[in-house]
Amino acid sequence: MSATTRNQVFTAVHTVGGLLPADMLLRISEGKDVPGSKPADYGLPSSRSVRDEAERSWEYLKPLWRELRKHLPEDRQTGLPATDPTGRAGADWLAPLWRELGFGRLTPIGTDGVTADSDTEKRFEVSHRWQHALIHQVAWNANLDKRPGGAGTMPPQSMLQECLNRTEAHLWGILTNGRQIRLLRDSSALATASYVEFDLEAIFDGELFSEFVLLYRLLHVSRFEVAEDAAPSTCWLEKWRTEAIAQGTRALDQLRKGVQRAITTLGTGFLKHPENRELRESLEVKTFHYALLRLVYRLLFLFVAEDREVLLSPSAGETAKERYAAYFSSARLRRHAQRRRGTAHGDLYQALRFVLSGLGNDDGLLELGLPGLGGIFDDTEADKVLHGLSLSNEPLLEAVRALSIVRDTSSKRNRVVDYRHLDAEELGSIYESLLELVPKHNATERTFELVELAGNARKTTGSYYTPSSLIECLLDSALDPVIDDAVKRGEIRATRSGQPDARDAIVEELLSLTVCDPACGSGHFLVAAARRIAKRVAAVREQNPEPTIDAVRHALHEVVARCIYGVDLNPMAVELAKVSLWLEALEPGKPLGFLDAHV
């Protein structure tokens, strides 16, 4: 899978690391439900809409782009961009683009660069700035994620990111080679890169005006502007990011309720189906509840893995992939749920069972490109209560709707859940909320629901979810010193053995670390620890304090497989911890069972 995750709404806009989620970008693009979107906020007269102004800029820039492409064509044999020895892209393309976005002439920073706050010897060769925003332009043919000059240099993305992380005065930055343009922010707390990228080639070659409107709204100078002596955090971009975080919290609260509603709906749907007489006659409520919980978490896993494009086997043929997408995918099921109420037929549940049993089969389901994942998909004693049951399309679609659409209470709009970016923290908080509920069955009405009761599972099993802020503090004090010691041991080992390059020895020491959580819950702490170790492994390998996404992801595979261990009294928590770690390591086609001995 590409390191850059493709936005589902836009084709030429990519959001990485959740800097501004896809849903927020859509709201910014529409100029709805977000503050700072009026013409006056962009310095325009009230008679001009922001979209009108963007269209004027679009018409001005299009011929400049066409002219530039004539002079800097791609190499037809290699597909690589042309070299630009005269700097034409900067003068004839980027300078007009900055003018249209309201920046005017940028301030060159010069050869001294930007100095790190804590180390006056450390300098970053950023090309330009505008107030607190850093704007770094590189050559037309430069790759934003590769070293420009071999050993000793840093990829432009890593260099600008580290500069933002190590300077208090600079919060937001823009990076561009003229073909792509990225928006970055200080992200020193994150283990992976985080940015929004616009593919200028796709936008201008493909005449994607609506995506240019988003670029205009997001990168306009007014988004970075702050009052004199005001902190960089008072700019509109920062307000939007804060709003996106608050929106995500609201959406998560709604998703928790959605998961609860899905379990209730499925339980009642099974109980009311005329063919499930045996279930009604011999119902064991706790067993039934646990089986429903497993079914819903299988659905959540399916949504996340599918939206991240890591579900299907890498060796699957195109026919199998197309068959899965057209007839069996959860994306198809979610589209149905958005458009239809559903009928008494049971074909959708039969198709879903087919997929779930395939994922639990050792050999997978080759006809659909599905690997045998095992783990949470393994058919166990806990699942027997659901064997042979029928379920109508109506309750299934209602449950899927509850899992895939949330109501944003502030804007009073329905929003599709962004499963591509759902992480271990969110899985964990959903898990916590379910522990506070107990099942209640009404045999007469044939209903099943979850209610809050004193002495619930959370209190009786001592299960409490640990928030991210606390985990980060714990990792700062407990794990970081251990990582630093491992690096020193590697350096000493390399010196003693006469190795000129200590990197291999340091990496081996890091991968020999053991992290064990004796009450791992859904794996939130383990995932955060794995990210920290993986970032350091990647940083050592690349000799780059802000390693590239691909390097971190590759290291995560190794760290999860070698360093991470967990234990929990709750069997569902163990399954969820494995799911969280598997989703983090992103190894398409590899069974979940590879973590069985660790968690």
Side-chain angles (χ1 to χ4, degrees):
M1 177 190 163
S2 161
T4 309
T5 50
R6 192 173 288 277
N7 183 301
Q8 293 172 344
V9 181
F10 303 100
T11 56
V13 183
H14 314 285
T15 178
V16 175
L19 177 62
L20 287 168
D23 193 58
M24 188 63 178
L25 293 178
L26 181 62
R27 289 168 64 189
I28 291 167
S29 167
E30 293 171 345
K32 292 177 183 173
D33 305 331
V34 281
S37 296
K38 295 186 178 73
D41 298 318
Y42 282 82
L44 300 173
S46 55
S47 58
R48 290 283 291 173
S49 75
V50 179
R51 189 181 177 87
D52 287 343
E53 201 63 18
E55 188 169 10
R56 184 197 58 73
S57 292
W58 171 252
E59 294 302 332
Y60 171 71
L61 290 167
K62 275 196 301 182
L64 299 183
W65 175 263
R66 284 196 295 269
E67 188 66 19
L68 183 71
R69 293 291 263 170
K70 277 185 206 167
H71 289 91
L72 298 175
E74 273 184 1
D75 184 304
R76 287 189 179 176
Q77 286 185 314
T78 63
L80 295 173
T83 55
D84 181 21
T86 62
R88 187 174 194 131
D92 292 359
W93 170 240
L94 286 173
L97 177 64
W98 300 131
R99 281 200 304 273
E100 290 303 309
L101 292 172
F103 288 92
R105 189 186 289 274
L106 299 177
T107 306
I109 289 177
T111 53
D112 286 346
V114 179
T115 307
D117 289 350
S118 57
D119 180 2
T120 52
E121 298 296 309
K122 181 73 178 174
R123 295 179 184 277
F124 301 97
E125 294 180 7
V126 180
S127 64
H128 299 83
R129 67 175 175 79
W130 189 90
Q131 285 193 5
H132 68 90
L134 297 175
I135 301 176
H136 186 48
Q137 294 181 187
V138 296
W140 174 261
N141 65 336
N143 185 315
L144 301 181
D145 296 308
K146 289 197 175 162
R147 297 175 189 277
T153 61
M154 286 174 71
Q157 165 74 31
S158 302
M159 185 277 291
L160 185 57
Q161 185 64 71
E162 194 192 356
C163 182
L164 291 170
N165 290 354
R166 296 185 62 178
T167 52
E168 194 73 29
H170 306 292
L171 184 62
W172 290 86
I174 297 175
L175 172 65
T176 186
N177 53 15
R179 296 176 294 114
Q180 293 99 31
I181 189 165
R182 290 179 183 176
L183 175 68
L184 289 75
R185 183 194 178 277
D186 170 5
S187 66
S188 44
L190 300 176
T192 53
S194 188
Y195 57 83
V196 178
E197 179 183 274
F198 293 87
D199 184 340
L200 295 175
E201 290 179 289
I203 289 172
F204 282 91
D205 288 347
E207 301 246 345
L208 303 175
F209 173 62
S210 63
E211 317 217 356
F212 177 76
V213 172
L214 173 59
L215 183 153
Y216 188 90
R217 285 184 176 276
L218 190 65
L219 299 184
H220 191 269
V221 71
S222 58
R223 308 300 90 184
F224 300 87
E225 215 164 18
V226 295
E228 196 173 346
D229 298 327
S233 56
T234 59
C235 70
W236 278 119
L237 277 176
E238 194 64 14
K239 289 173 186 172
W240 280 352
R241 181 174 170 274
T242 304
E243 165 61 20
I245 292 167
Q247 177 194 317
T249 304
R250 292 194 300 269
L252 188 57
D253 287 338
Q254 293 299 312
L255 181 55
R256 288 193 196 107
K257 292 173 187 169
V259 172
Q260 179 183 341
R261 199 160 62 249
I263 293 171
T264 298
T265 303
L266 289 170
T268 300
F270 282 123
L271 287 167
K272 287 196 169 179
H273 198 286
E275 291 177 20
N276 298 337
R277 185 165 56 86
E278 194 178 323
L279 170 71
R280 290 188 291 275
E281 290 173 352
S282 59
L283 185 69
E284 212 306 304
V285 178
K286 276 190 178 177
T287 308
F288 186 48
H289 174 218
Y290 187 56
L292 291 171
L293 193 62
R294 280 174 63 83
L295 175 59
V296 166
Y297 261 92
R298 284 169 173 169
L299 282 170
L300 292 177
F301 180 94
L302 204 57
F303 297 170
V304 176
E306 205 177 280
D307 287 2
R308 290 189 187 180
E309 298 166 24
V310 294
L311 178 70
L312 300 184
S313 175
S315 59
E318 284 307 310
T319 306
K321 288 178 181 176
E322 286 166 12
R323 189 183 292 127
Y324 177 78
Y327 303 108
F328 293 92
S329 69
S330 77
R332 174 178 179 265
L333 191 60
R334 284 176 277 169
R335 283 195 301 273
H336 270 306
Q338 287 176 41
R339 297 171 188 162
R340 298 176 193 170
R341 182 181 170 82
T343 63
H345 291 88
D347 57 305
L348 293 177
Y349 182 63
Q350 287 173 4
L352 177 63
R353 288 298 328 158
F354 190 56
V355 169
L356 296 180
S357 63
L359 291 168
N361 186 313
D362 287 347
D363 299 323
L365 206 57
L366 297 178
E367 302 93 323
L368 299 181
L370 293 170
L373 291 180
I376 198 170
F377 295 104
D378 277 337
D379 194 39
T380 67
E381 190 68 30
D383 303 304
K384 279 189 177 175
V385 66
L386 300 184
H387 284 186
L389 296 186
S390 299
L391 183 68
S392 302
N393 289 350
E394 185 178 349
L396 177 61
L397 290 178
E398 189 182 332
V400 170
R401 205 158 35 246
L403 294 174
S404 54
I405 297 173
V406 294
R407 183 78 174 167
D408 188 328
T409 47
S410 69
S411 65
K412 297 183 174 58
R413 291 175 73 179
N414 286 340
R415 306 202 180 282
V416 176
V417 178
D418 181 10
Y419 277 104
R420 185 187 287 270
H421 295 108
L422 191 80
D423 63 17
E425 177 187 2
E426 290 161 323
L427 277 171
S429 67
I430 292 166
Y431 162 72
E432 179 205 40
S433 68
L434 292 175
L435 285 172
E436 298 184 334
L437 306 168
V438 292
K440 184 180 174 188
H441 167 232
N442 185 320
T444 311
E445 299 289 329
R446 296 182 181 178
T447 58
F448 178 89
E449 60 181 321
L450 296 176
V451 295
E452 281 195 52
L453 271 184
N456 57 47
R458 183 182 182 202
K459 291 184 174 67
T460 54
T461 61
S463 301
Y464 286 90
Y465 172 72
T466 313
S468 283
S469 53
L470 193 55
I471 283 176
E472 292 304 320
C473 286
L474 185 57
L475 292 172
D476 287 346
S477 60
L479 182 61
D480 282 357
V482 174
I483 291 174
D484 292 339
D485 286 346
V487 171
K488 285 174 192 163
R489 283 198 305 275
E491 290 169 344
I492 292 167
R493 209 172 89 191
T495 304
R496 283 177 179 166
S497 61
Q499 289 174 254
D501 189 339
R503 279 182 292 179
D504 289 346
I506 294 170
V507 166
E508 194 48 48
E509 288 290 340
L510 287 168
L511 292 176
S512 299
L513 294 176
T514 299
V515 175
C516 181
D517 186 347
C520 65
S522 60
H524 185 193
F525 174 83
L526 292 177
V527 166
R531 285 175 182 160
R532 289 254 179 144
I533 300 171
K535 183 175 183 180
R536 188 67 73 92
V537 168
V540 169
R541 280 183 176 149
E542 287 197 335
Q543 293 185 304
N544 174 7
E546 285 298 322
T548 58
I549 287 179
D550 282 341
V552 175
R553 195 181 59 209
H554 177 68
L556 261 170
H557 296 193
E558 300 168 283
V559 171
V560 168
R562 290 180 58 177
C563 308
I564 302 299
Y565 295 83
V567 181
D568 204 280
L569 285 170
N570 187 323
M572 190 65 198
V574 170
E575 294 295 349
L576 294 182
K578 289 180 197 169
V579 166
S580 297
L581 289 163
W582 188 90
L583 288 171
E584 195 67 24
L586 293 175
E587 290 204 80
K590 188 161 185 178
L592 290 168
F594 82 100
L595 287 164
D596 284 350
H598 282 219
V599 185

